[in-house]
């Protein structure tokens, strides 16, 4: 363990950033999906400039780019640190009132603005490891937004450290803050040429020590069932009800597997997330997930077979089945450049941690960045209970993550 002479700023930063509402909106077609995300972008650009990062900019698509200049002559790879500015549409992010809990004592945390919202050690066993830490929560009416403003606070804290410590030698480091990660559009308008980095790390993970180099591979499937609509009073042997076919089809899906609620670890799932329609036409949207990309096609073939068999009992009905690729397991890329994970493991080690390689049951900006030229695993920030009013984060976890970033900068330049 190599200790750094650090005066951390993560807690103040997080508490400041979460008060800016940056909720993204999956139903918006604009870029970014909500204009208010730029409010945080502007604040971050001003803060980056204040710590001496002259080229910090917010572009029209809502991305923040900035450079920590190299302070070493030899040519070393360009490293990128990335975090997302938006918060989940699943829970309100307006008027967040962050609460600082000093020296957490291990008891359940009752949130003051709605005392039915309780962050309990039973539902959040990681809390038991955080006794003595300082925690930050919301107040009971909103999410906290540590996902991923903890990541932003960590990167800002590390950037400030590097700008203030010329004796710490590193190459060029690019900072990227993205909008709309929570709605799967975080890298839609990123300019990879402008970013100009060789590999990167997202700061968007949970427990201290976790290192995520593997994500789901993901497709979306949209199924449209077409029935035949007639006046119901004169419908005998004519009407074919698409809504009923949809019901029969969903009922025919496997019940003990294939569902998020019945799977864990390395098991994939086939998950209907939305249904709408009526007699004439009903649409069902699925998300398909597995860590092994080739399994997606098998799930999709089986799903279509079940649909075909169901629909065969309804003469006159027909269907459309459209598969759309969403993202792929970043491991396919990271296996080709193992040093990217190894640098991170070394940085954890120097920060006094043993890295635990974890696979994410989801995706990150890094899943897609990895496939467009920026191999990009995910580092912990301590954000927990995300997308909910029970969200919390340990200040000491964020501080550790910041130290990991500084060590990474040094390791890459060695
Ligand atoms: Zn996130």
């Amino acid at each position: 363990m190599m200790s750094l002479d650090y005066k951390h700023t993560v807690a103040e930063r997080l508490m400041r950033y979460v008060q800016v509402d940056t909720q993204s909106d999956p139903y918006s077609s604009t870029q970014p999906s909500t204009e208010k995300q730029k409010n945080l972008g502007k604040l971050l650009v001003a803060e980056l400039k204040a710590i001496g990062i002259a080229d910090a900019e917010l572009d029209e698509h809502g991305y923040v780019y900035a450079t920590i200049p190299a302070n070493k002559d030899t040519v070393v790879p360009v490293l990128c640190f990335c975090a997302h500015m938006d918060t989940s549409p699943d829970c309100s992010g307006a008027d967040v009132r962050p609460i600082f809990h000093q020296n957490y004592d291990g008891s359940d945390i009752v949130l003051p603005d709605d005392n039915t919202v309780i962050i309990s050690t039973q539902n959040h066993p990681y809390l038991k490891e955080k006794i003595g830490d300082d925690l930050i929560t919301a107040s009971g009416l909103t999410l906290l937004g540590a996902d991923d403003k903890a990541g932003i606070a960590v990167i800002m804290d590390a950037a400030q450290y590097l700008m203030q410590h010329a004796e710490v030698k590193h190459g060029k480091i690019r900072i990227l803050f993205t909008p709309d990660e929570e709605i799967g559009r975080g890298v839609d308008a990123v300019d990879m040429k402008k970013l100009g980095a060789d590999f990167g790390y997202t700061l968007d993970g949970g427990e201290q020590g976790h290192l995520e180099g593997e994500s789901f591979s993901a497709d979306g499937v949209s199924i449209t069932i077409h029935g035949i609509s007639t006046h119901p009073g004169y419908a005998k042997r004519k009407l074919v009800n698409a809504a009923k076919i949809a019901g029969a089809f969903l009922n025919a899906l496997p019940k003990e597997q294939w569902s998020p609620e019945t799977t864990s670890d390395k098991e994939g799932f086939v998950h209907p997330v939305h249904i709408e329609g009526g007699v004439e036409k009903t649409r069902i949207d699925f998300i398909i997930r597995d860590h092994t990309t080739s399994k997606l096609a098998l799930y999709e073939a089986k799903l279509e077979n079940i649909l075909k068999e169901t629909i065969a009992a309804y003469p006159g009905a027909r269907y459309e089945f459209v598969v759309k690729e969403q993202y792929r397991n970043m491991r396919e890329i990271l296996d080709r450049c193992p040093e990217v994970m190894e640098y991170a493991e070394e940085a954890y080690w120097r920060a006094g941690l043993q890295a635990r390689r974890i696979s994410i049951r989801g995706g990150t900006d890094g899943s897609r960045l990895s496939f467009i030229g920026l191999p990009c695993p995910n580092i912990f920030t301590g954000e927990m209970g995300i997308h909910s009013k029970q969200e919390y984060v340990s200040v000491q976890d964020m501080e550790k993550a910041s130290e990991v970033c500084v060590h990474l900068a040094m390791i890459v330049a060695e």
Side-chain angles (χ1 to χ4, degrees):
M1 179 165 169
M2 254 171 72
S3 66
L4 304 166
D5 158 35
Y6 235 119
K7 198 186 163 298
H8 284 290
T9 58
V10 285
E12 308 95 271
R13 289 185 184 281
L14 178 76
M15 294 185 67
R16 189 157 66 239
Y17 303 154
V18 298
Q19 292 180 58
V20 184
D21 178 6
T22 56
Q23 191 179 50
S24 50
D25 175 6
Y27 300 106
S28 158
S29 58
T30 60
Q31 170 69 44
S33 68
T34 52
E35 194 64 19
K36 62 189 176 188
Q37 293 180 64
K38 288 186 179 171
N39 296 337
L40 181 58
K42 283 177 207 153
L43 172 69
L44 293 169
V45 166
E47 292 192 7
L48 285 161
K49 289 194 165 154
I51 59 174
I53 298 184
D55 74 344
E57 63 159 318
L58 170 69
D59 78 0
E60 77 266 31
H61 305 297
Y63 291 78
V64 172
Y65 299 85
T67 309
I68 304 172
N71 61 4
K72 206 179 169 183
D73 295 335
T74 49
V75 178
V76 299
V78 178
L79 168 65
C80 173
F81 291 123
C82 175
H84 65 90
M85 293 183 285
D86 66 316
T87 62
S88 169
D90 297 344
C91 185
S92 171
D95 302 316
V96 173
R97 188 163 81 84
I99 298 177
F100 187 87
H101 306 258
Q102 195 165 17
N103 191 7
Y104 171 62
D105 66 2
S107 56
D108 290 355
I109 302 171
V110 181
L111 297 182
D113 292 345
D114 178 350
N115 58 23
T116 66
V117 181
I118 297 165
I119 309 176
S120 68
T121 55
Q122 193 183 348
N123 290 334
H124 301 274
Y126 182 63
L127 275 177
K128 293 184 195 138
E129 298 173 34
K130 299 289 107 184
I131 295 172
D133 278 16
D134 303 320
L135 303 182
I136 299 173
T137 68
S139 65
L141 303 178
T142 64
L143 51 63
L144 173 62
D147 176 9
D148 184 24
K149 289 162 183 167
I152 293 174
V154 164
I155 293 170
M156 294 292 291
D157 187 63
Q160 176 171 323
Y161 183 89
L162 290 169
M163 293 301 290
Q164 289 174 350
H165 289 77
E167 76 283 5
V168 175
K169 297 297 174 198
H170 56 81
K172 180 173 165 182
I173 299 167
R174 292 285 274 157
I175 292 172
L176 174 68
F177 296 136
T178 60
D180 292 335
E181 189 267 359
E182 296 289 0
I183 57 171
R185 296 179 353 208
V187 305
D188 279 7
V190 72
D191 184 340
M192 295 303 284
K193 227 171 124 187
K194 178 161 131 184
L195 185 63
D198 295 301
F199 55 89
Y201 300 88
T202 49
L203 275 292
D204 193 14
E207 297 183 22
Q208 185 181 104
H210 283 188
L211 172 61
E212 298 169 327
E214 184 161 9
S215 64
F216 269 150
S217 282
D219 281 350
V221 171
S222 182
I223 291 171
T224 308
I225 298 166
H226 296 273
I228 299 170
S229 170
T230 67
H231 186 295
Y234 308 93
K236 192 167 182 181
R237 293 195 230 291
K238 288 190 197 120
L239 184 141
V240 181
N241 191 334
K244 283 189 178 166
I245 300 170
F249 166 57
L250 290 176
N251 194 46
L253 297 179
K255 294 195 176 55
E256 292 312 313
Q257 320 136 35
W258 267 34
S259 300
E261 62 270 34
T262 58
T263 51
S264 62
D265 304 318
K266 286 297 186 78
E267 299 166 311
F269 56 73
V270 174
H271 179 37
V273 290
H274 184 86
I275 180 164
E276 67 177 46
V279 174
E280 186 155 38
K281 185 165 99 171
T282 294
R283 197 186 86 220
I284 311 171
D285 295 328
F286 283 80
I287 60 171
I288 318 286
R289 299 289 186 265
D290 201 280
H291 289 99
T292 306
T293 303
S294 59
K295 281 196 188 165
L296 299 180
L298 302 177
Y299 290 141
E300 287 149 12
K302 187 170 169 190
L303 185 66
E304 185 167 6
N305 259 331
I306 295 169
L307 177 62
K308 237 182 230 167
E309 278 166 22
T310 307
I311 225 164
Y314 300 86
R318 59 190 178 82
Y319 72 88
E320 288 152 56
F321 189 97
V322 180
V323 179
K324 206 176 145 208
E325 179 176 322
Q326 292 177 330
Y327 58 84
R328 292 292 176 256
N329 186 345
M330 61 170 93
R331 183 171 180 170
E332 293 168 18
I333 302 298
L334 294 174
D335 277 350
R336 289 182 228 155
C337 43
E339 68 279 9
V340 175
M341 289 290 278
E342 288 160 13
Y343 291 148
E345 283 177 331
E346 175 66 18
Y348 280 45
W349 182 253
R350 292 190 193 179
L353 303 173
Q354 174 83 50
R356 275 178 59 207
R357 291 194 182 204
I358 300 283
S359 49
I360 316 169
R361 289 179 60 78
T364 62
D365 274 344
S367 313
R368 285 179 63 203
L369 286 168
S370 291
F371 283 85
I372 55 172
L374 190 82
C376 196
N378 189 32
I379 291 173
F380 71 92
T381 66
E383 63 196 51
M384 300 295 293
I386 58 173
H387 299 196
S388 81
K389 294 173 185 171
Q390 298 179 23
E391 197 180 1
Y392 68 94
V393 66
S394 150
V395 173
Q396 283 71 18
D397 284 356
M398 289 193 285
E399 291 175 353
K400 265 289 171 224
S402 173
E403 289 163 30
V404 165
C405 291
V406 171
H407 284 299
L408 257 172
M410 291 191 274
I411 289 163
V412 171
E414 278 167 11

